[in-house]
């Protein structure tokens, strides 16, 4: 549901102030400690951030895709780890349930997801199934009124915090590829489910990814999302939406980096004048701003199209591809504008440089987005 203009402006202003006054001062400590303060998480819950995309009837804010993107752009103006704290609840960890769940499943889980009392996680990637999502090897074998899951998932965001996993598992071994995959809701406390230690990562300290192991995990058949064999369809539609969310995040980070670069270049002097007086520096700023504006326009236009009910598989892939590549270029130029200071931890620019690298990988790599864009373009005849 789209908010009226006044309510939307109030929400965006509230999030902007939360980012500026509360989160930005914590960026360095969170990165240093690789942990999110509990009081910050509680404040996020109070603001409704865990329920941005959950329908109002289940306790969420029920934002339209456009409104969600506008809020996420504001969250992008601080370290991405903060957004990741609630990101799976808003996106890939909840949307299979929102889009394909039964009413009983929604009533059972969505209110807790919206409030942040239930943290969700999306378990698709495996040691041998990443970009090739249809190559899932985790098995789910029917046993009476249960399925028994065995297998392992890798690099699962928020797994160590999650209370509920959306798990992709192969229910029909005779069907290779996408046709034999199904989606399940699996509570964290189900016997046989274990979570590995958080991986050490290049960036986004404070946000964690872990392995998830399934050893004869018995899941009630009522926890199947959609029909058996529809898991790949579920995953792809969830990712269509998630890609727009990530696109908006990339825009927000780029806008933060541009603002920081302009502020630094205005104060830093070389050869008797501010860096902003040099045309080659101006050129880098111009490139960054132009690309960020283009990414913002593409992301919001695609979000509006999705809200209107149109298929945006191609446009969503294009937005994610362009925005994630764009923010990488902006981060690189920000380091260049800051010069030696950009390489030093104190200024935070090197941290953002590392943080944004993952955007070209998760929710589908840039190469997978290229495949989707080309495929959908050829389907449409140009």
């Amino acid at each position: 549901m789209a908010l009226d203009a006044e309510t939307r402006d109030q929400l965006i202003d509230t999030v902007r102030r939360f980012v500026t006054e509360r989160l930005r001062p914590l960026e360095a400590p969170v990165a240093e400690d690789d942990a999110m303060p509990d009081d910050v998480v509680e404040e996020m819950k109070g603001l409704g951030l865990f329920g941005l995309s959950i329908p109002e009837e289940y306790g969420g804010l029920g934002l339209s895709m456009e409104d969600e993107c506008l809020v996420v752009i504001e969250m992008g103006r601080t370290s991405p780890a903060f957004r990741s704290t609630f990101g799976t609840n808003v996106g890939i960890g909840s949307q299979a349930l929102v889009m394909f769940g039964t009413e009983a499943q929604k009533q059972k889980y969505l209110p807790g997801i919206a409030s942040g009392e239930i943290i969700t996680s999306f378990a698709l990637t495996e040691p041998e199934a990443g970009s090739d999502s249809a190559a899932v090897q985790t098995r789910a074998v029917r046993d009476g009124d249960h399925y028994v899951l065995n297998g392992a998932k890798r690099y699962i965001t928020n797994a160590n915090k999650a209370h509920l996993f959306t798990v992709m598992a192969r229910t029909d071994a005779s069907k290779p590829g996408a046709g034999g995959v199904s989606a399940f809701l699996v509570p964290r406390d189900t016997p046989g489910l274990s979570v590995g230690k958080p991986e050490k990562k290049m960036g986004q300290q404070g946000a964690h990814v872990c392995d998830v192991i399934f050893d004869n995990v018995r899941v009630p058949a009522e926890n199947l999302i959609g029909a058996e064999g529809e898991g790949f369809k579920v995953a792809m539609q969830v990712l269509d939406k998630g890609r727009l969310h990530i696109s908006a995040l990339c825009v927000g980070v780029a806008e933060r980096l541009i603002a920081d670069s302009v502020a630094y270049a205005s104060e830093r002097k070389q050869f008797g004048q501010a860096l902003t007086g040099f045309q080659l520096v101006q050129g880098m700023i111009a490139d960054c701003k132009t690309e960020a504006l283009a990414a913002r326009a593409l992301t919001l236009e695609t979000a509006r199209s999705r809200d209107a009910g149109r298929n945006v598989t191609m446009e969503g892939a294009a937005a994610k591809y362009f925005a994630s590549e764009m923010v990488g270029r902006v981060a690189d130029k920000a380091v260049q504008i800051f010069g030696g200071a950009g390489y030093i931890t104190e200024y935070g620019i090197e941290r953002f440089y590392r943080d944004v690298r993952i955007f070209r990988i998760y929710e589908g790599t840039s190469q997978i987005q290229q495949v989707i864009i080309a495929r959908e373009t050829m389907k449409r005849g140009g």
Side-chain angles (χ1 to χ4, degrees), residues 238-252:
V238 168
L239 289 171
D240 276 353
K241 185 176 189 298
R243 285 165 183 156
L244 280 174
H245 181 107
I246 296 300
S247 300
L249 179 60
C250 291
V251 170

Side-chain angles (χ1 to χ4, degrees), residues 2-14 63 67:
L3 300 176
D4 63 82
E6 182 179 357
T7 303
R8 181 170 76 178
D9 288 346
Q10 289 175 347
L11 175 61
I12 290 172
D13 183 64
T14 298
L63 299 188
D67 290 346

Side-chain angles (χ1 to χ4, degrees), residues 105 108 140-149 171 184-185 190 217-225 228:
Q105 290 171 341
K108 183 175 182 179
V141 177
R142 186 71 183 249
D143 181 21
D145 58 357
H146 284 74
Y147 286 87
V148 180
L149 274 62
T171 47
F184 297 90
L185 293 167
T190 307
V217 175
R218 293 183 63 83
V219 179
E222 65 190 27
N223 284 24
L224 181 70
I225 302 177
E228 189 173 295

Side-chain angles (χ1 to χ4, degrees), residues 275-287:
L275 292 181
T276 49
F278 295 98
Q279 288 185 332
L280 291 178
V281 173
Q282 293 172 11
M284 288 190 284
I285 292 171
D287 287 348

Side-chain angles (χ1 to χ4, degrees), residues 25 51 55 71 84 91 94 166 182-183 191 193 196 202 216 220 243-245 264 283 308 310 330 359 372 379:
V71 171
S84 188
S94 70
T166 299
S182 301
L193 189 158
M202 176 189 292
N216 290 321
R243 285 165 183 156
L244 280 174
H245 181 107
Y264 182 81
R310 292 190 281 274
V330 170
F359 294 148
I372 294 169
K379 276 185 183 178

Side-chain angles (χ1 to χ4, degrees), residues 50-276:
F50 283 84
L52 294 178
S53 63
I54 307 298
E56 288 185 281
E57 58 264 37
Y58 303 106
L61 297 183
L63 299 188
S64 67
M65 191 71 244
E66 182 183 11
D67 290 346
E68 180 183 328
C69 284
L70 289 169
V71 171
V72 173
I73 287 172
E74 296 302 323
M75 285 300 307
R77 295 196 173 102
T78 187
S79 294
F82 290 110
R83 193 279 328 176
S84 188
T85 299
F86 62 84
T88 47
N89 274 39
V90 170
I92 56 177
S94 70
Q95 291 307 295
L97 184 53
V98 170
M99 290 189 274
F100 296 96
T102 65
E103 184 58 30
Q105 290 171 341
K106 292 177 181 179
Q107 292 285 354
K108 183 175 182 179
Y109 292 115
L110 286 182
I113 294 172
S115 70
E117 297 308 306
I118 296 175
I119 303 299
T120 62
S121 197
F122 185 70
L124 171 60
T125 301
E126 297 181 359
E128 300 299 327
S131 293
D132 184 6
S133 301
V136 166
Q137 295 301 310
T138 295
R139 292 291 310 280
V141 177
R142 186 71 183 249
D143 181 21
D145 58 357
H146 284 74
Y147 286 87
V148 180
L149 274 62
N150 282 282
K153 300 292 182 178
R154 178 157 290 177
Y155 310 138
I156 305 304
T157 302
N158 283 343
N160 57 326
K161 304 288 187 183
H163 305 98
L164 181 68
F165 294 87
T166 299
V167 181
M168 298 297 150
R170 187 165 299 281
T171 47
D172 190 343
S174 68
K175 291 182 180 178
V181 177
S182 301
F184 297 90
L185 293 167
V186 184
R188 168 66 172 271
D189 59 3
T190 307
L193 189 158
S194 60
V195 177
K197 293 181 180 179
E199 301 281 359
K200 293 183 178 180
K201 311 189 307 301
M202 176 189 292
Q204 295 203 24
Q205 279 69 39
H208 300 142
V209 300
C210 312
D211 287 354
V212 183
I213 310 300
F214 301 89
D215 184 8
N216 290 321
V217 175
R218 293 183 63 83
V219 179
E222 65 190 27
N223 284 24
L224 181 70
I225 302 177
E228 189 173 295
E230 289 187 346
F232 189 76
K233 180 184 79 172
V234 169
M236 293 305 101
Q237 292 197 31
V238 168
L239 289 171
D240 276 353
K241 185 176 189 298
R243 285 165 183 156
L244 280 174
H245 181 107
I246 296 300
S247 300
L249 179 60
C250 291
V251 170
V253 175
E255 292 180 353
R256 159 69 184 276
L257 287 168
I258 292 167
D260 285 358
S261 296
V262 170
Y264 182 81
S266 298
E267 296 178 359
R268 173 69 168 160
K269 289 183 169 57
Q270 290 289 294
F271 302 101
Q273 64 174 314
L275 292 181
T276 49

